[in-house]
Amino acid sequence: MLDKLKNIEDKYNEINEKLMLPETVNNQELYRNYMKEYKELTPLIEKFKEYQKAKESFDEAVELLDAGGLDKDFKEMVQMQYDESKVQIETYTEELKILLLPKDPNDSKNVIVEVRGGAGGEEAALFANSLYRMYTMYAASKNWKVEVMNANETELGGFKEISFMIEGEGAYSRLKYESGVHRVQRVPETESQGRIHTSTVTVAVLPEAEEVELEINEEKDLKIDVFRSSGAGGQHINKTSSAIRVTHLPTGMVVECQDERSQYKNKDKALKVLRSRLLEIKQREHDNEIASERRSQVGTGDRSERIRTYNYPESRISDHRIGLTLYKLESILNGNLDEVIDALATADQAAKLSAQEADN
């Protein structure tokens, strides 16, 4: 591990020198690429420096204790230095192991989130709206930007489906654990009787696909239809043929977008969603080929997996993947998701560490 860290430190210093060169500064794309790599390596290098400092302190204490001849007070001080630096070395070693884990190449990307009402009809649609609100409030707490791509509203203010982009540093790294089936247990807002119903909502979190990652031949691969917007209401509904339906002929995948008044804007949004969906399929196929990697992930991507239950009568939220139960339903639905996401990220790291150690 230390040899690997020293090699990375050499690479880090080399990138730092390249960032100072005029030919790098004058080439925006090159500078941006180097800067991105430099930022990604910085937390690892900073932790490695802390480890080296603790190691120097430990070695110094060992040398003094081995030499002997110390008076009582000084020996106690050196022993304290030995004990403290030993604990620090153990802590930093574990932290470095986590920082050395292979990074998900999508972690720094923006995301497209698709929320769809499942079993439960109007009640599921209303809960889809609750989840949309939860994610937008979480995004606001991180100063991330939210842009609705497409929405299919119901008369009562729910969503049959809604897709939206969240733009912000590390958005995918935090939200990727949200993909799957979310189950709600509550007395429906649509009923006066006090019976608890169970409904489901499906969430898909897709990393935004760059055009260079996934080229689409529009003339050959796409069928684009224009139609009039439809929905629960609004002054522009059914007045202009601005809505876009894009069909990807090789896969049969269909994306609709009618949120904007402009055909061109709707087409641009629909293509962004299509690219991200196709990239997800491509990555899933790749992941399925690497069985050990899939086993080490904490349910990041399977839309059919029931991941979480929101129980209103008990104010309880349970994440079934890691056995986490919190009695903070209102707070979490108000966008305070960090406690849940931190627990999922920690469990994912632990699983990957375990898989890596088993491979070694």
Side-chain angles (χ1 to χ4, degrees):
M1 186 180 83
L2 291 176
D3 288 341
K4 188 174 184 180
L5 284 164
K6 283 169 184 170
N7 289 335
I8 294 171
E9 187 178 35
D10 290 342
K11 182 182 179 184
Y12 181 79
N13 293 332
E14 186 182 326
I15 293 169
N16 190 31
E17 288 173 10
K18 286 179 178 177
L19 282 167
M20 307 295 179
L21 297 174
E23 55 264 39
T24 303
V25 176
N26 294 328
N27 185 328
Q28 284 191 354
E29 186 178 353
L30 185 63
Y31 182 83
R32 190 165 53 246
N33 290 338
Y34 278 138
M35 199 65 211
K36 183 184 176 185
E37 196 172 1
Y38 184 81
K39 280 175 67 178
E40 286 173 354
L41 291 176
T42 296
L44 175 63
I45 298 304
E46 286 179 349
K47 189 61 63 179
F48 183 42
K49 285 178 179 174
E50 288 178 11
Y51 169 88
Q52 289 174 315
K53 188 176 176 182
K55 186 69 168 62
E56 286 174 12
S57 178
F58 178 80
D59 290 344
E60 182 186 42
V62 168
E63 191 176 332
L64 286 168
L65 290 170
D66 285 348
L70 307 177
D71 64 51
K72 184 183 175 185
D73 290 342
F74 187 54
K75 186 176 180 180
E76 283 179 2
M77 188 175 71
V78 173
Q79 185 65 47
M80 190 180 297
Q81 178 181 324
Y82 173 90
D83 294 337
E84 286 179 359
S85 54
K86 185 180 180 183
V87 170
Q88 285 177 335
I89 287 170
E90 290 170 358
T91 302
Y92 295 150
T93 299
E94 292 306 309
E95 290 174 351
L96 284 167
K97 283 180 183 177
I98 290 170
L99 288 167
L100 281 169
L101 285 172
K103 295 287 185 293
D104 186 330
N106 295 318
D107 273 353
S108 62
K109 289 184 178 180
N110 302 326
V111 295
I112 292 173
V113 183
E114 297 180 332
V115 181
R116 289 186 177 84
E122 187 65 50
E123 172 63 11
L126 288 168
F127 189 61
N129 192 353
S130 298
L131 289 185
Y132 167 66
R133 176 179 175 273
M134 177 179 77
Y135 293 131
T136 54
M137 291 182 79
Y138 181 66
S141 74
K142 301 291 183 186
N143 294 316
W144 294 341
K145 179 185 171 186
V146 178
E147 180 185 8
V148 174
M149 311 296 279
N150 192 45
N152 187 347
E153 291 185 64
T154 64
E155 294 290 344
L156 294 179
F159 290 114
K160 289 181 181 176
E161 60 180 284
I162 181 167
S163 58
F164 50 100
M165 177 175 281
I166 297 181
E167 298 179 30
E169 183 65 34
Y172 183 76
S173 71
R174 300 296 289 166
L175 291 171
K176 62 184 177 182
Y177 305 107
E178 295 301 300
S179 284
V181 176
H182 296 241
R183 183 175 69 167
V184 59
Q185 295 172 326
R186 65 179 177 183
V187 177
E189 296 176 27
T190 54
E191 288 192 15
S192 57
Q193 301 295 324
R195 293 181 298 123
I196 296 171
H197 283 222
T198 298
S199 305
T200 60
V201 170
T202 301
V203 175
V205 180
L206 316 173
E208 183 187 14
E210 306 288 339
E211 288 189 36
V212 292
E213 288 180 287
L214 203 69
E215 291 184 13
I216 296 174
N217 186 325
E218 287 195 28
E219 290 184 12
K220 182 182 174 185
D221 295 341
L222 301 182
K223 178 174 180 280
I224 298 176
D225 299 307
V226 179
F227 61 100
R228 287 189 175 186
S229 298
S230 62
Q235 60 182 6
H236 304 293
I237 297 298
N238 294 325
K239 291 190 177 180
T240 57
S241 295
S242 60
I244 292 287
R245 181 184 297 112
V246 178
T247 305
H248 185 247
L249 298 173
T251 62
M253 187 178 288
V254 177
V255 178
E256 290 185 3
C257 190
Q258 55 181 338
D259 197 59
E260 300 284 350
R261 299 186 207 179
S262 158
Q263 274 187 29
Y264 300 104
K265 287 183 179 178
N266 280 327
K267 181 185 173 185
D268 183 53
K269 285 186 174 183
L271 288 176
K272 279 186 178 180
V273 174
L274 178 65
R275 266 195 199 91
S276 293
R277 285 192 194 170
L278 291 172
L279 181 63
E280 184 207 24
I281 290 170
K282 184 179 175 184
Q283 288 176 336
R284 197 186 303 148
E285 288 171 352
H286 176 260
D287 287 343
N288 286 338
E289 292 172 7
I290 311 170
S292 62
E293 174 65 14
R294 293 299 295 170
R295 280 197 301 272
S296 73
Q297 292 179 352
V298 180
T300 54
D302 187 349
R303 299 187 198 187
S304 64
E305 180 186 7
R306 192 190 77 194
I307 63 167
R308 196 174 296 152
T309 294
Y310 305 76
N311 184 292
Y312 276 69
E314 297 177 16
S315 189
R316 168 173 55 81
I317 177 170
S318 300
D319 197 288
H320 308 296
R321 294 164 293 181
I322 57 173
L324 175 71
T325 296
L326 298 170
Y327 291 89
K328 300 179 178 180
L329 182 63
E330 185 179 354
S331 175
I332 288 164
L333 288 173
N334 283 333
N336 298 311
L337 268 170
D338 273 332
E339 187 173 355
V340 178
I341 291 172
D342 286 343
L344 287 162
T346 301
D348 192 27
Q349 287 171 347
K352 285 178 178 174
L353 265 177
S354 179
Q356 190 178 70
E357 287 167 1
D359 289 342
N360 292 337

